[in-house]
Amino acid sequence: MSERVVDRYYWADRFSRVSTNLAYFIGNKLCNGCSLPDALKEASEEIDNIKQKSALSNAAYNIKKGEDLRIAFNDFRLKLRQKDRFILSSSLSDRQKGIILRNWSESKYHGSNILSYLMIIITTLIICHVILSASVFVFPQFYEISLGMGVPINNFLKTIYANGSALLPLFLFGFFGSIVFLLILNFSIGNINKKQEEADLLALLSSVKRSEQLAILDLIADARCFPRIWRILRRAVENLKSGEKPEDCFNNIGLSSYTEWFLNLSNYENDRVVLKEGAMIINEKIMLSSLSKIKFLEVIVVIMQSIFFAFIAYTLFGSLNAIILGCFE
């Protein structure tokens, strides 16, 4: 049955920034033999946030009373990702839930950090470097110059508009160029997030017995757990259920060549440690790739800043030149 909009809203992340530390703590407790209510109770004792503490305590209390897990975790104050709430609400054993949460919460670097970094530097550029400097220092000084020359304010503004409109094609080019840049950036971040999900998948499978891997894959092949690769995983699960060999079901289904290679190597050598090493290698590649993209973004921002200042300087000096020539005519 297709997922309804209300279901999608129910499982959606309720906070723009959700930490994985809480899920890792709960998963670690579950792996060490704690029951789910006890793990939630211990987690509440380690948190300073009053709302979060109350939400965890209430969830633990409701689960002990026998309340449905799905309802128990439906608390807007509970800062857990949808994938974590999905697993905690499943029918898996508590220890199995802990293994999953602990392994896919070990990510070292997330592609969303690039977008956050970009928003910070662009906001700083626009507010501090362009708007603040132009409105507080540049325009008032040129306005004082125009008054000193006896030029009325209307003529001053008309002159600025006349010179600025000449650069309108350049401004439009920069505007549409920025849109293209953001689209490329969005694609790049999506690719990083896809690789991150593949790394989480390898880390998860490395901690699950081979006899249990198909059942776990069948459960996590869901958009709430792996938004970008769940269809690929669903196809792999169907291939496994149809009797296809494990070493063949992951070939050419949309995963990266690195992930396919580590999966096939693990099946060939019957060694789950290979998957854990593969997850670590992919995480390192993500980190290095993200750092290089951040350096690229810094260069682009410096270029954009130079273009903005060149635009302002050309407009103002052209206006001043027109005012001076007009005064001497």
Side-chain angles (χ1 to χ4, degrees):
M1 185 175 64
S2 60
E3 185 181 15
R4 299 174 301 173
V5 174
V6 65
D7 296 328
R8 195 175 308 163
Y9 173 78
Y10 177 91
W11 289 106
D13 291 338
R14 298 184 176 93
F15 298 87
S16 59
R17 294 175 66 91
V18 182
S19 173
T20 60
N21 294 335
L22 176 60
Y24 186 86
F25 181 88
I26 296 173
N28 210 28
K29 290 296 181 181
L30 294 175
C31 288
N32 291 332
C34 277
S35 64
L36 181 55
D38 291 339
L40 295 174
K41 188 64 178 177
E42 291 189 29
S44 69
E45 295 172 356
E46 298 293 329
I47 292 178
D48 295 328
N49 185 283
I50 297 177
K51 291 183 179 180
Q52 185 80 330
K53 183 188 292 287
S54 175
L56 289 168
S57 298
N58 289 340
Y61 176 74
N62 292 332
I63 292 172
K64 279 187 176 181
K65 286 198 312 179
E67 190 173 72
D68 184 80
L69 292 177
R70 180 185 172 97
I71 298 176
F73 285 103
N74 185 26
D75 192 329
F76 72 94
R77 301 170 299 173
L78 201 57
K79 292 185 179 180
L80 286 171
R81 299 173 300 176
Q82 62 174 342
K83 60 194 302 183
D84 298 324
R85 285 187 284 123
F86 178 79
I87 292 300
L88 290 172
S89 303
S90 68
S91 59
L92 296 172
S93 66
D94 288 345
R95 187 175 184 279
Q96 197 67 267
K97 293 176 183 178
I99 290 174
I100 294 176
L101 261 63
R102 187 174 65 178
N103 279 275
W104 70 19
S105 295
E106 290 180 341
S107 301
K108 296 180 180 179
Y109 200 90
H110 292 276
S112 57
N113 290 346
I114 297 180
L115 187 58
S116 300
Y117 181 81
L118 177 65
M119 292 299 103
I120 291 173
I121 57 178
I122 286 183
T123 302
T124 304
L125 164 68
I126 295 175
I127 295 178
C128 297
H129 293 174
V130 179
I131 297 178
L132 184 62
S133 61
S135 60
V136 177
F137 300 106
V138 180
F139 283 108
Q141 290 181 8
F142 276 85
Y143 175 60
E144 291 295 332
I145 292 173
S146 69
L147 289 181
M149 293 179 177
V151 179
I153 181 62
N154 291 337
N155 293 347
F156 177 71
L157 294 176
K158 288 179 180 179
T159 307
I160 289 180
Y161 175 77
N163 285 275
S165 60
L167 292 179
L168 182 60
L170 178 61
F171 176 79
L172 292 177
F173 174 79
F175 175 75
F176 288 110
S178 300
I179 293 178
V180 173
F181 171 74
L182 291 176
L183 291 175
I184 295 175
L185 179 66
N186 181 64
F187 173 79
S188 178
I189 292 176
N191 189 40
I192 290 177
N193 288 337
K194 179 176 180 291
K195 290 181 180 178
Q196 187 69 68
E197 290 185 8
E198 293 181 7
D200 292 342
L201 173 66
L202 293 180
L204 172 60
L205 293 179
S206 69
S207 61
V208 178
K209 296 179 181 179
R210 290 199 173 275
S211 58
E212 301 173 347
Q213 285 185 352
L214 178 56
I216 296 297
L217 275 175
D218 195 12
L219 174 68
I220 64 174
D222 189 281
R224 290 162 286 192
C225 294
F226 293 97
R228 297 188 178 274
I229 64 171
W230 71 273
R231 290 186 178 86
I232 297 174
L233 297 181
R234 177 54 54 193
R235 199 178 313 137
V237 168
E238 297 301 327
N239 292 340
L240 286 170
K241 287 182 177 180
S242 64
E244 190 171 340
K245 295 180 180 179
E247 55 269 23
D248 296 331
C249 69
F250 287 103
N251 291 332
N252 301 320
I253 61 173
L255 296 174
S256 65
S257 56
Y258 270 93
T259 303
E260 288 184 5
W261 187 79
F262 283 116
L263 286 169
N264 290 331
L265 182 61
S266 174
N267 289 322
Y268 180 76
E269 296 186 353
N270 195 25
D271 185 5
R272 289 182 294 160
V273 178
V274 173
L275 297 176
K276 188 67 174 180
E277 294 174 349
M280 294 173 60
I281 291 174
I282 293 177
N283 268 317
E284 291 294 330
K285 284 178 61 65
I286 292 172
M287 183 182 66
L288 294 175
S289 174
S290 300
L291 289 176
S292 65
K293 286 179 173 61
I294 284 177
K295 295 297 182 183
F296 173 74
L297 290 177
E298 289 175 343
V299 173
I300 294 297
V301 167
V302 171
I303 294 174
M304 289 173 60
Q305 181 177 340
S306 302
I307 293 174
F308 280 134
F309 276 115
F311 175 82
I312 294 175
Y314 180 90
T315 302
L316 291 177
F317 280 101
S319 302
L320 182 60
N321 184 58
I323 290 172
I324 292 175
L325 292 178
C327 289
F328 284 99
E329 287 180 356

